[in-house]
Amino acid sequence: MTVVTPPRDRDSRYRIEPTVLQALRSPRLLTREVLAGLVVALALIPEAIAFSIIAGVDPRLGLFSSFIMAVAIAFLGGRPAMITAATGAVALVIAPVAREHGMDHFLATVILGGLIQIVLAALGVAKLMRFIPRSVMVGFVNALAILIFLSQLPQLFGEGIPWLVYPLVAVGLGILYLVPRLTKAVPAPLVAIVVLTAAVVLFAWRVPTVGDQGELPTSLPELLIPAVPLTLETLRIIGPYALGLAVVGLLESLMTAKLVDDITDTHSRKTREAFGQGCANVLSGAFGGMGGCAMIGQTMINVKASGARTRISTFLAGVFLLVLVLVLGDVVAIIPMAALVAVMIMVSVATFDWRSIRPSTLRRMPKSETAVMLVTVIATVWTNNLAIGVGLGVLAAMVMFARRVAHFVMVDRVVEGEGDAAVARYEVSGQLFFASSNDLTTQFEYADDPDRVVIDMSRSHVWDASTVAALDAVVAKYGQRGKSVTIEGLNEVAAAFHERLSGSLGG
């Protein structure tokens, strides 16, 4: 296991996370990491099988993908303790490939998607995360909590669900609530899974189990080369789906990494995480996996419910997953789905930011911030696509910000002197860009001003070509009346920008 010592961040808000070496030297930390990995592995099995069904492929592809990606990201990722495996979002994006073009094109899509992610990481796309507002982040978290909860409803209200499932889930929730208050030596999810499984076996209750979700593999994954022609036609078929996989996968992974950063008060390396996600997808496709990205539900189990903080838990989640399905497949198959449903419901409750919907918070929070959060939540839940939800949330935030800033521009007019010596002096204050500069031309008294006009820009800044065009229009309007205009006070950057574009934007 590679020992990675995270760099000490200059921002004092972050504390240094435990390293792999520290965990190996501490029996308490190591036990926590090992048990966390085991709990996550148990939770991954039904999820991976379910996502394989969504993608229209053999359940083994989802399980192999989860094993390979978890192990790979433990070494290559930039966010310790984050779980990467087969996911529903990626499955939805690439499902049409398997259905319409077959498995070889499907695996080629996964590999190409991983390569695109590596390229995007090299281009520094991960740095764009700083432009995602907090209101979008809160909406993302709340939408994830809702989606996690909704994903469990088929196990509770599906056709043929026996009544015993409901008391089992209730008992599981009780265990998950009480155990952390009694001891933190053993993860509560593991206790719930063991107790409910023992009860089901002891009393021979007939309830849905992990084995009912699909066939478990019996052999190790093998290296596969997709049998597809290396032509532009193949690229035309798989390219759009591969790009969708890359974008959705990176967006979910980087948002999840940011969430874990906030929970643990530690800093992650987003560019390295993007690179690691790409490599993990390439390896997944090469070994017959369906690809994936960071999993918010399992990551929350690992970080919040189990208290894991290092790469050991991520690595062992993958290893335990393979061991469980290959060696202990018969044991895993009898785990009741009710136990895993209880774990995921508690994770959804813990994930939701309840403070964001308190009446006191809503009263204090600007309405625009609340609106952005709601747009993100509604769009994500409605489309069942985190990428669309976050994209619309960011777009809404941009529109709200532009509207708010547009009202901060002020133009003050003073006329100095009399007769031929009179000068109209305008002082422009604020940030000038496309939204705030559209009305700039209406702020001047073209007919009433004397022949000399000075526009003082020392308390403003020119950000885009729209503002330059607006200033040119003002000068032109005065010029039509035979009046001269002097623009002064531009800072060095704004002056160079104005000089480069002025007169070239047309009128």
Side-chain angles (χ1 to χ4, degrees):
M1 187 73 186
T2 302
V3 177
V4 179
T5 302
R8 191 172 293 274
D9 199 286
R10 292 182 181 178
D11 193 334
S12 59
R13 292 175 301 169
Y14 296 118
R15 64 169 180 263
I16 301 304
E17 64 201 357
T19 65
V20 171
L21 187 59
Q22 289 172 334
L24 292 174
R25 288 174 176 173
S26 169
R28 182 180 61 84
L29 291 178
L30 183 59
T31 300
R32 185 179 66 186
E33 298 293 318
V34 171
L35 294 178
L38 178 59
V39 172
V40 170
L42 291 170
L44 277 174
I45 294 172
E47 294 280 310
I49 294 173
F51 297 149
S52 300
I53 295 171
I54 291 173
V57 298
D58 191 295
R60 288 175 293 183
L61 269 69
L63 292 166
F64 286 158
S65 183
S66 297
F67 157 67
I68 293 167
M69 297 193 73
V71 171
I73 210 69
F75 291 95
L76 302 172
R79 173 64 260 176
M82 191 167 77
I83 303 299
T84 292
T87 60
V90 169
L92 287 170
V93 170
I94 60 177
V97 181
R99 184 171 60 249
E100 299 172 10
H101 303 285
M103 285 308 304
D104 286 315
H105 281 79
F106 181 86
L107 297 178
T109 301
V110 175
I111 294 173
L112 179 59
L115 293 174
I116 293 174
Q117 287 179 328
I118 293 174
V119 172
L120 292 176
L123 294 175
V125 169
K127 295 177 181 178
L128 296 177
M129 285 297 297
R130 71 185 67 178
F131 296 109
I132 296 181
R134 182 187 178 278
S135 53
V136 175
M137 189 67 192
V138 172
F140 168 79
V141 170
N142 291 345
L144 283 172
I146 294 171
L147 289 177
I148 291 171
F149 178 79
L150 293 178
S151 68
Q152 306 309 307
L153 294 185
Q155 299 295 337
L156 294 173
F157 303 106
E159 186 177 350
I161 300 296
W163 67 269
L164 276 171
V165 166
Y166 305 110
L168 285 174
V169 171
V171 171
L173 291 173
I175 293 173
L176 291 166
Y177 178 79
L178 293 174
V179 168
R181 286 159 175 75
L182 300 176
T183 178
K184 294 186 178 180
V186 180
L190 182 59
V191 176
I193 291 170
V194 171
V195 170
L196 295 186
T197 302
V200 168
V201 172
L202 181 63
F203 296 103
W205 289 331
R206 296 182 62 84
V207 294
T209 63
V210 171
D212 297 330
Q213 305 303 304
E215 182 183 358
L216 300 178
T218 57
S219 61
L220 292 170
E222 298 177 356
L223 182 63
L224 299 173
I225 304 294
V228 295
L230 300 178
T231 62
L232 290 177
E233 177 63 17
T234 300
L235 183 61
R236 184 190 66 79
I237 293 172
I238 69 174
Y241 297 104
L243 180 61
L245 180 153
V247 173
V248 170
L250 279 186
L251 184 58
E252 285 204 37
S253 298
L254 295 176
M255 289 288 283
T256 304
K258 191 171 187 293
L259 177 60
V260 178
D261 288 353
D262 293 340
I263 292 172
T264 61
D265 292 329
T266 56
H267 189 58
S268 61
R269 298 164 63 183
K270 303 298 189 300
T271 298
R272 176 174 170 176
E273 181 62 36
F275 173 78
Q277 291 290 330
C279 292
N281 271 308
V282 170
L283 291 171
S284 174
F287 281 91
M290 59 177 282
C293 62
M295 300 188 74
I296 180 65
Q298 278 65 26
T299 298
M300 290 300 98
I301 291 175
N302 199 42
V303 174
K304 286 195 102 171
S306 302
R309 291 294 182 270
T310 75
R311 300 173 186 273
I312 294 176
S313 59
T314 306
F315 173 76
L316 290 179
V319 173
F320 281 141
L321 173 63
L322 189 66
V323 171
L324 287 171
V325 298
L326 293 182
V327 180
L328 302 174
D330 293 338
V331 176
V332 172
I334 64 175
I335 295 175
M337 288 300 299
L340 300 177
V341 169
V343 171
M344 297 306 290
I345 289 176
M346 189 59 74
V347 166
S348 70
V349 171
T351 301
F352 196 91
D353 186 352
W354 297 99
R355 291 177 300 176
S356 66
I357 60 173
R358 289 176 182 170
S360 58
T361 303
L362 294 176
R363 283 194 298 268
R364 293 196 308 269
M365 192 68 64
K367 292 182 179 180
S368 60
E369 297 287 319
T370 303
V372 169
M373 181 193 73
L374 290 175
V375 166
T376 306
V377 171
I378 294 171
T380 301
V381 175
W382 185 268
T383 63
N384 200 30
N385 189 315
L386 292 167
I388 292 176
V390 172
L392 290 176
V394 171
L395 181 61
M398 291 170 59
V399 172
M400 298 290 184
F401 176 77
R403 287 188 59 188
R404 192 161 59 244
V405 174
H407 298 300
F408 292 159
V409 174
M410 298 182 62
V411 179
D412 295 319
R413 174 179 180 265
V414 176
V415 177
E416 302 172 345
E418 297 179 356
D420 293 339
V423 177
R425 178 175 291 276
Y426 288 88
E427 184 178 65
V428 181
S429 306
Q431 303 299 312
L432 295 170
F433 63 108
F434 62 90
S436 60
S437 62
N438 281 337
D439 297 330
L440 188 63
T441 56
T442 65
Q443 305 296 312
F444 296 85
E445 304 289 342
Y446 302 102
D448 298 336
D449 280 341
D451 291 340
R452 292 181 56 206
V453 177
V454 175
I455 302 176
D456 183 2
M457 305 287 292
S458 59
R459 299 181 63 184
S460 63
H461 186 82
V462 176
W463 286 104
D464 62 2
S466 296
T467 304
V468 175
L471 289 174
D472 284 351
V474 171
V475 173
K477 286 179 180 292
Y478 277 115
Q480 292 170 1
R481 292 169 171 77
K483 301 176 182 181
S484 64
V485 178
T486 301
I487 298 176
E488 62 181 32
L490 287 171
N491 59 44
E492 185 177 347
V493 175
F497 188 66
H498 180 265
E499 183 179 354
R500 184 169 72 251
L501 295 181
S502 183
S504 65
L505 299 174

mmCIF file of all heavy atoms in Angstrom, residues 37-78:
data_model
loop_
_atom_site.group_PDB
_atom_site.id
_atom_site.type_symbol
_atom_site.label_atom_id
_atom_site.label_comp_id
_atom_site.label_asym_id
_atom_site.label_seq_id
_atom_site.Cartn_x
_atom_site.Cartn_y
_atom_site.Cartn_z
ATOM 1 N N GLY A 37 -14.133 -0.491 5.639
ATOM 2 C CA GLY A 37 -14.021 -1.113 4.324
ATOM 3 C C GLY A 37 -14.961 -2.295 4.168
ATOM 4 O O GLY A 37 -15.557 -2.501 3.100
ATOM 5 N N LEU A 38 -15.115 -3.074 5.226
ATOM 6 C CA LEU A 38 -16.006 -4.241 5.181
ATOM 7 C C LEU A 38 -17.458 -3.804 5.026
ATOM 8 O O LEU A 38 -18.215 -4.380 4.226
ATOM 9 C CB LEU A 38 -15.830 -5.071 6.456
ATOM 10 C CG LEU A 38 -16.728 -6.306 6.598
ATOM 11 C CD1 LEU A 38 -16.517 -7.267 5.439
ATOM 12 C CD2 LEU A 38 -16.469 -6.996 7.934
ATOM 13 N N VAL A 39 -17.868 -2.802 5.779
ATOM 14 C CA VAL A 39 -19.249 -2.311 5.695
ATOM 15 C C VAL A 39 -19.546 -1.778 4.294
ATOM 16 O O VAL A 39 -20.598 -2.067 3.712
ATOM 17 C CB VAL A 39 -19.499 -1.217 6.750
ATOM 18 C CG1 VAL A 39 -20.857 -0.575 6.538
ATOM 19 C CG2 VAL A 39 -19.413 -1.807 8.153
ATOM 20 N N VAL A 40 -18.623 -1.006 3.752
ATOM 21 C CA VAL A 40 -18.816 -0.450 2.411
ATOM 22 C C VAL A 40 -18.910 -1.564 1.382
ATOM 23 O O VAL A 40 -19.744 -1.526 0.463
ATOM 24 C CB VAL A 40 -17.679 0.530 2.060
ATOM 25 C CG1 VAL A 40 -17.745 0.927 0.588
ATOM 26 C CG2 VAL A 40 -17.766 1.771 2.932
ATOM 27 N N ALA A 41 -18.069 -2.593 1.512
ATOM 28 C CA ALA A 41 -18.100 -3.715 0.573
ATOM 29 C C ALA A 41 -19.463 -4.395 0.580
ATOM 30 O O ALA A 41 -20.012 -4.736 -0.476
ATOM 31 C CB ALA A 41 -17.001 -4.716 0.918
ATOM 32 N N LEU A 42 -20.012 -4.585 1.770
ATOM 33 C CA LEU A 42 -21.336 -5.200 1.872
ATOM 34 C C LEU A 42 -22.402 -4.332 1.204
ATOM 35 O O LEU A 42 -23.311 -4.838 0.538
ATOM 36 C CB LEU A 42 -21.692 -5.434 3.343
ATOM 37 C CG LEU A 42 -20.885 -6.512 4.079
ATOM 38 C CD1 LEU A 42 -21.164 -6.460 5.574
ATOM 39 C CD2 LEU A 42 -21.208 -7.891 3.523
ATOM 40 N N ALA A 43 -22.292 -3.020 1.388
ATOM 41 C CA ALA A 43 -23.267 -2.113 0.788
ATOM 42 C C ALA A 43 -23.088 -2.000 -0.725
ATOM 43 O O ALA A 43 -24.054 -1.708 -1.451
ATOM 44 C CB ALA A 43 -23.149 -0.730 1.424
ATOM 45 N N LEU A 44 -21.861 -2.224 -1.213
ATOM 46 C CA LEU A 44 -21.587 -2.104 -2.644
ATOM 47 C C LEU A 44 -22.228 -3.221 -3.460
ATOM 48 O O LEU A 44 -22.605 -3.005 -4.620
ATOM 49 C CB LEU A 44 -20.070 -2.114 -2.895
ATOM 50 C CG LEU A 44 -19.317 -0.802 -2.739
ATOM 51 C CD1 LEU A 44 -17.820 -1.036 -2.888
ATOM 52 C CD2 LEU A 44 -19.790 0.215 -3.766
ATOM 53 N N ILE A 45 -22.350 -4.402 -2.883
ATOM 54 C CA ILE A 45 -22.786 -5.565 -3.663
ATOM 55 C C ILE A 45 -24.162 -5.355 -4.289
ATOM 56 O O ILE A 45 -24.310 -5.445 -5.524
ATOM 57 C CB ILE A 45 -22.736 -6.841 -2.803
ATOM 58 C CG1 ILE A 45 -21.285 -7.158 -2.436
ATOM 59 C CG2 ILE A 45 -23.368 -8.022 -3.554
ATOM 60 C CD1 ILE A 45 -21.132 -8.287 -1.434
ATOM 61 N N PRO A 46 -25.214 -5.085 -3.507
ATOM 62 C CA PRO A 46 -26.527 -4.899 -4.151
ATOM 63 C C PRO A 46 -26.575 -3.673 -5.054
ATOM 64 O O PRO A 46 -27.262 -3.685 -6.080
ATOM 65 C CB PRO A 46 -27.485 -4.757 -2.964
ATOM 66 C CG PRO A 46 -26.637 -4.307 -1.821
ATOM 67 C CD PRO A 46 -25.306 -4.953 -2.034
ATOM 68 N N GLU A 47 -25.835 -2.613 -4.687
ATOM 69 C CA GLU A 47 -25.819 -1.420 -5.521
ATOM 70 C C GLU A 47 -25.199 -1.721 -6.881
ATOM 71 O O GLU A 47 -25.728 -1.329 -7.928
ATOM 72 C CB GLU A 47 -25.029 -0.303 -4.822
ATOM 73 C CG GLU A 47 -25.667 0.201 -3.541
ATOM 74 C CD GLU A 47 -26.786 1.177 -3.806
ATOM 75 O OE1 GLU A 47 -26.589 2.124 -4.569
ATOM 76 O OE2 GLU A 47 -27.876 0.969 -3.246
ATOM 77 N N ALA A 48 -24.063 -2.401 -6.882
ATOM 78 C CA ALA A 48 -23.380 -2.733 -8.135
ATOM 79 C C ALA A 48 -24.249 -3.620 -9.016
ATOM 80 O O ALA A 48 -24.298 -3.450 -10.240
ATOM 81 C CB ALA A 48 -22.047 -3.421 -7.837
ATOM 82 N N ILE A 49 -24.940 -4.568 -8.401
ATOM 83 C CA ILE A 49 -25.829 -5.443 -9.163
ATOM 84 C C ILE A 49 -26.978 -4.638 -9.760
ATOM 85 O O ILE A 49 -27.329 -4.792 -10.945
ATOM 86 C CB ILE A 49 -26.360 -6.576 -8.267
ATOM 87 C CG1 ILE A 49 -25.218 -7.500 -7.841
ATOM 88 C CG2 ILE A 49 -27.445 -7.372 -8.980
ATOM 89 C CD1 ILE A 49 -25.613 -8.543 -6.824
ATOM 90 N N ALA A 50 -27.553 -3.748 -8.946
ATOM 91 C CA ALA A 50 -28.677 -2.932 -9.425
ATOM 92 C C ALA A 50 -28.246 -2.019 -10.568
ATOM 93 O O ALA A 50 -28.974 -1.862 -11.560
ATOM 94 C CB ALA A 50 -29.240 -2.108 -8.274
ATOM 95 N N PHE A 51 -27.066 -1.420 -10.477
ATOM 96 C CA PHE A 51 -26.593 -0.527 -11.526
ATOM 97 C C PHE A 51 -26.267 -1.298 -12.798
ATOM 98 O O PHE A 51 -26.399 -0.760 -13.902
ATOM 99 C CB PHE A 51 -25.374 0.258 -11.047
ATOM 100 C CG PHE A 51 -25.663 1.166 -9.884
ATOM 101 C CD1 PHE A 51 -24.695 1.448 -8.925
ATOM 102 C CD2 PHE A 51 -26.913 1.739 -9.732
ATOM 103 C CE1 PHE A 51 -24.971 2.279 -7.860
ATOM 104 C CE2 PHE A 51 -27.201 2.583 -8.661
ATOM 105 C CZ PHE A 51 -26.221 2.842 -7.728
ATOM 106 N N SER A 52 -25.831 -2.535 -12.658
ATOM 107 C CA SER A 52 -25.587 -3.373 -13.835
ATOM 108 C C SER A 52 -26.893 -3.612 -14.587
ATOM 109 O O SER A 52 -26.934 -3.584 -15.823
ATOM 110 C CB SER A 52 -24.980 -4.713 -13.423
ATOM 111 O OG SER A 52 -23.751 -4.534 -12.764
ATOM 112 N N ILE A 53 -27.952 -3.837 -13.834
ATOM 113 C CA ILE A 53 -29.260 -4.051 -14.456
ATOM 114 C C ILE A 53 -29.719 -2.782 -15.185
ATOM 115 O O ILE A 53 -30.260 -2.845 -16.290
ATOM 116 C CB ILE A 53 -30.281 -4.470 -13.384
ATOM 117 C CG1 ILE A 53 -29.887 -5.839 -12.799
ATOM 118 C CG2 ILE A 53 -31.689 -4.529 -13.969
ATOM 119 C CD1 ILE A 53 -30.698 -6.249 -11.597
ATOM 120 N N ILE A 54 -29.472 -1.615 -14.576
ATOM 121 C CA ILE A 54 -29.811 -0.342 -15.219
ATOM 122 C C ILE A 54 -29.068 -0.198 -16.542
ATOM 123 O O ILE A 54 -29.632 0.249 -17.551
ATOM 124 C CB ILE A 54 -29.473 0.842 -14.291
ATOM 125 C CG1 ILE A 54 -30.414 0.858 -13.083
ATOM 126 C CG2 ILE A 54 -29.567 2.169 -15.047
ATOM 127 C CD1 ILE A 54 -30.047 1.897 -12.046
ATOM 128 N N ALA A 55 -27.789 -0.588 -16.548
ATOM 129 C CA ALA A 55 -26.966 -0.473 -17.759
ATOM 130 C C ALA A 55 -27.277 -1.556 -18.781
ATOM 131 O O ALA A 55 -26.813 -1.485 -19.926
ATOM 132 C CB ALA A 55 -25.481 -0.520 -17.389
ATOM 133 N N GLY A 56 -28.055 -2.569 -18.375
ATOM 134 C CA GLY A 56 -28.399 -3.654 -19.287
ATOM 135 C C GLY A 56 -27.267 -4.631 -19.523
ATOM 136 O O GLY A 56 -27.155 -5.210 -20.612
ATOM 137 N N VAL A 57 -26.417 -4.838 -18.502
ATOM 138 C CA VAL A 57 -25.291 -5.759 -18.647
ATOM 139 C C VAL A 57 -25.330 -6.791 -17.517
ATOM 140 O O VAL A 57 -26.109 -6.670 -16.564
ATOM 141 C CB VAL A 57 -23.944 -5.005 -18.616
ATOM 142 C CG1 VAL A 57 -23.860 -4.025 -19.780
ATOM 143 C CG2 VAL A 57 -23.760 -4.249 -17.297
ATOM 144 N N ASP A 58 -24.483 -7.798 -17.630
ATOM 145 C CA ASP A 58 -24.387 -8.848 -16.620
ATOM 146 C C ASP A 58 -23.991 -8.233 -15.274
ATOM 147 O O ASP A 58 -23.120 -7.366 -15.214
ATOM 148 C CB ASP A 58 -23.341 -9.875 -17.068
ATOM 149 C CG ASP A 58 -23.373 -11.132 -16.212
ATOM 150 O OD1 ASP A 58 -23.064 -11.032 -15.013
ATOM 151 O OD2 ASP A 58 -23.696 -12.203 -16.740
ATOM 152 N N PRO A 59 -24.604 -8.668 -14.157
ATOM 153 C CA PRO A 59 -24.247 -8.128 -12.838
ATOM 154 C C PRO A 59 -22.774 -8.230 -12.500
ATOM 155 O O PRO A 59 -22.247 -7.428 -11.733
ATOM 156 C CB PRO A 59 -25.092 -8.975 -11.877
ATOM 157 C CG PRO A 59 -26.274 -9.381 -12.689
ATOM 158 C CD PRO A 59 -25.748 -9.590 -14.077
ATOM 159 N N ARG A 60 -22.097 -9.209 -13.097
ATOM 160 C CA ARG A 60 -20.671 -9.361 -12.813
ATOM 161 C C ARG A 60 -19.873 -8.140 -13.252
ATOM 162 O O ARG A 60 -18.847 -7.806 -12.653
ATOM 163 C CB ARG A 60 -20.139 -10.629 -13.491
ATOM 164 C CG ARG A 60 -20.617 -11.917 -12.840
ATOM 165 C CD ARG A 60 -20.165 -13.137 -13.599
ATOM 166 N NE ARG A 60 -20.813 -13.215 -14.912
ATOM 167 C CZ ARG A 60 -20.642 -14.213 -15.767
ATOM 168 N NH1 ARG A 60 -19.826 -15.216 -15.457
ATOM 169 N NH2 ARG A 60 -21.265 -14.226 -16.926
ATOM 170 N N LEU A 61 -20.338 -7.446 -14.316
ATOM 171 C CA LEU A 61 -19.615 -6.265 -14.791
ATOM 172 C C LEU A 61 -19.634 -5.158 -13.744
ATOM 173 O O LEU A 61 -18.625 -4.472 -13.531
ATOM 174 C CB LEU A 61 -20.219 -5.757 -16.104
ATOM 175 C CG LEU A 61 -19.599 -6.322 -17.390
ATOM 176 C CD1 LEU A 61 -19.933 -7.801 -17.528
ATOM 177 C CD2 LEU A 61 -20.055 -5.556 -18.609
ATOM 178 N N GLY A 62 -20.768 -4.991 -13.088
ATOM 179 C CA GLY A 62 -20.848 -3.978 -12.043
ATOM 180 C C GLY A 62 -19.982 -4.316 -10.853
ATOM 181 O O GLY A 62 -19.316 -3.445 -10.276
ATOM 182 N N LEU A 63 -19.951 -5.593 -10.460
ATOM 183 C CA LEU A 63 -19.136 -6.024 -9.325
ATOM 184 C C LEU A 63 -17.649 -5.918 -9.644
ATOM 185 O O LEU A 63 -16.863 -5.442 -8.824
ATOM 186 C CB LEU A 63 -19.510 -7.458 -8.944
ATOM 187 C CG LEU A 63 -20.916 -7.621 -8.358
ATOM 188 C CD1 LEU A 63 -21.321 -9.078 -8.328
ATOM 189 C CD2 LEU A 63 -20.986 -7.018 -6.960
ATOM 190 N N PHE A 64 -17.256 -6.353 -10.848
ATOM 191 C CA PHE A 64 -15.847 -6.241 -11.245
ATOM 192 C C PHE A 64 -15.427 -4.778 -11.304
ATOM 193 O O PHE A 64 -14.334 -4.403 -10.872
ATOM 194 C CB PHE A 64 -15.621 -6.904 -12.606
ATOM 195 C CG PHE A 64 -15.630 -8.406 -12.571
ATOM 196 C CD1 PHE A 64 -15.896 -9.138 -13.711
ATOM 197 C CD2 PHE A 64 -15.356 -9.085 -11.397
ATOM 198 C CE1 PHE A 64 -15.901 -10.525 -13.685
ATOM 199 C CE2 PHE A 64 -15.361 -10.476 -11.353
ATOM 200 C CZ PHE A 64 -15.639 -11.191 -12.495
ATOM 201 N N SER A 65 -16.309 -3.943 -11.864
ATOM 202 C CA SER A 65 -15.994 -2.523 -11.978
ATOM 203 C C SER A 65 -15.798 -1.903 -10.601
ATOM 204 O O SER A 65 -14.859 -1.124 -10.383
ATOM 205 C CB SER A 65 -17.122 -1.804 -12.723
ATOM 206 O OG SER A 65 -16.810 -0.443 -12.915
ATOM 207 N N SER A 66 -16.657 -2.261 -9.653
ATOM 208 C CA SER A 66 -16.551 -1.700 -8.298
ATOM 209 C C SER A 66 -15.249 -2.123 -7.636
ATOM 210 O O SER A 66 -14.584 -1.311 -6.974
ATOM 211 C CB SER A 66 -17.749 -2.157 -7.460
ATOM 212 O OG SER A 66 -18.953 -1.649 -8.006
ATOM 213 N N PHE A 67 -14.858 -3.378 -7.790
ATOM 214 C CA PHE A 67 -13.599 -3.860 -7.216
ATOM 215 C C PHE A 67 -12.403 -3.137 -7.826
ATOM 216 O O PHE A 67 -11.542 -2.597 -7.107
ATOM 217 C CB PHE A 67 -13.474 -5.371 -7.442
ATOM 218 C CG PHE A 67 -12.059 -5.872 -7.415
ATOM 219 C CD1 PHE A 67 -11.312 -5.850 -6.245
ATOM 220 C CD2 PHE A 67 -11.462 -6.365 -8.569
ATOM 221 C CE1 PHE A 67 -10.005 -6.304 -6.222
ATOM 222 C CE2 PHE A 67 -10.153 -6.823 -8.554
ATOM 223 C CZ PHE A 67 -9.425 -6.790 -7.379
ATOM 224 N N ILE A 68 -12.349 -3.087 -9.148
ATOM 225 C CA ILE A 68 -11.187 -2.502 -9.832
ATOM 226 C C ILE A 68 -11.073 -1.016 -9.538
ATOM 227 O O ILE A 68 -9.984 -0.491 -9.239
ATOM 228 C CB ILE A 68 -11.293 -2.748 -11.355
ATOM 229 C CG1 ILE A 68 -11.150 -4.240 -11.657
ATOM 230 C CG2 ILE A 68 -10.238 -1.946 -12.105
ATOM 231 C CD1 ILE A 68 -11.550 -4.616 -13.060
ATOM 232 N N MET A 69 -12.193 -0.298 -9.584
ATOM 233 C CA MET A 69 -12.146 1.145 -9.401
ATOM 234 C C MET A 69 -11.825 1.525 -7.962
ATOM 235 O O MET A 69 -11.099 2.494 -7.709
ATOM 236 C CB MET A 69 -13.465 1.781 -9.842
ATOM 237 C CG MET A 69 -13.755 1.600 -11.324
ATOM 238 S SD MET A 69 -15.103 2.630 -11.930
ATOM 239 C CE MET A 69 -14.319 4.248 -11.948
ATOM 240 N N ALA A 70 -12.362 0.778 -6.997
ATOM 241 C CA ALA A 70 -12.064 1.079 -5.594
ATOM 242 C C ALA A 70 -10.584 0.890 -5.299
ATOM 243 O O ALA A 70 -9.953 1.726 -4.631
ATOM 244 C CB ALA A 70 -12.908 0.193 -4.678
ATOM 245 N N VAL A 71 -10.013 -0.210 -5.795
ATOM 246 C CA VAL A 71 -8.588 -0.473 -5.568
ATOM 247 C C VAL A 71 -7.730 0.553 -6.294
ATOM 248 O O VAL A 71 -6.757 1.098 -5.744
ATOM 249 C CB VAL A 71 -8.232 -1.902 -6.017
ATOM 250 C CG1 VAL A 71 -6.719 -2.114 -5.988
ATOM 251 C CG2 VAL A 71 -8.921 -2.925 -5.121
ATOM 252 N N ALA A 72 -8.079 0.863 -7.544
ATOM 253 C CA ALA A 72 -7.285 1.810 -8.332
ATOM 254 C C ALA A 72 -7.299 3.201 -7.715
ATOM 255 O O ALA A 72 -6.258 3.862 -7.597
ATOM 256 C CB ALA A 72 -7.797 1.855 -9.769
ATOM 257 N N ILE A 73 -8.477 3.657 -7.296
ATOM 258 C CA ILE A 73 -8.582 5.032 -6.780
ATOM 259 C C ILE A 73 -7.900 5.154 -5.423
ATOM 260 O O ILE A 73 -7.482 6.254 -5.027
ATOM 261 C CB ILE A 73 -10.060 5.467 -6.704
ATOM 262 C CG1 ILE A 73 -10.174 6.987 -6.897
ATOM 263 C CG2 ILE A 73 -10.699 5.054 -5.394
ATOM 264 C CD1 ILE A 73 -9.853 7.463 -8.277
ATOM 265 N N ALA A 74 -7.762 4.032 -4.698
ATOM 266 C CA ALA A 74 -7.060 4.077 -3.414
ATOM 267 C C ALA A 74 -5.601 4.496 -3.613
ATOM 268 O O ALA A 74 -5.009 5.145 -2.753
ATOM 269 C CB ALA A 74 -7.129 2.709 -2.738
ATOM 270 N N PHE A 75 -5.018 4.117 -4.740
ATOM 271 C CA PHE A 75 -3.635 4.479 -5.039
ATOM 272 C C PHE A 75 -3.525 5.791 -5.828
ATOM 273 O O PHE A 75 -2.591 6.565 -5.630
ATOM 274 C CB PHE A 75 -2.967 3.363 -5.849
ATOM 275 C CG PHE A 75 -2.734 2.107 -5.074
ATOM 276 C CD1 PHE A 75 -3.648 1.070 -5.107
ATOM 277 C CD2 PHE A 75 -1.599 1.956 -4.282
ATOM 278 C CE1 PHE A 75 -3.436 -0.100 -4.392
ATOM 279 C CE2 PHE A 75 -1.379 0.789 -3.559
ATOM 280 C CZ PHE A 75 -2.306 -0.235 -3.609
ATOM 281 N N LEU A 76 -4.479 6.023 -6.731
ATOM 282 C CA LEU A 76 -4.335 7.116 -7.691
ATOM 283 C C LEU A 76 -5.157 8.355 -7.357
ATOM 284 O O LEU A 76 -4.889 9.430 -7.892
ATOM 285 C CB LEU A 76 -4.744 6.620 -9.092
ATOM 286 C CG LEU A 76 -3.965 5.415 -9.627
ATOM 287 C CD1 LEU A 76 -4.597 4.913 -10.930
ATOM 288 C CD2 LEU A 76 -2.510 5.777 -9.854
ATOM 289 N N GLY A 77 -6.168 8.222 -6.503
ATOM 290 C CA GLY A 77 -7.082 9.334 -6.244
ATOM 291 C C GLY A 77 -6.492 10.429 -5.384
ATOM 292 O O GLY A 77 -5.459 10.263 -4.740
ATOM 293 N N GLY A 78 -7.181 11.575 -5.366
ATOM 294 C CA GLY A 78 -6.715 12.714 -4.588
ATOM 295 C C GLY A 78 -7.526 12.978 -3.335
ATOM 296 O O GLY A 78 -7.235 13.919 -2.605
#
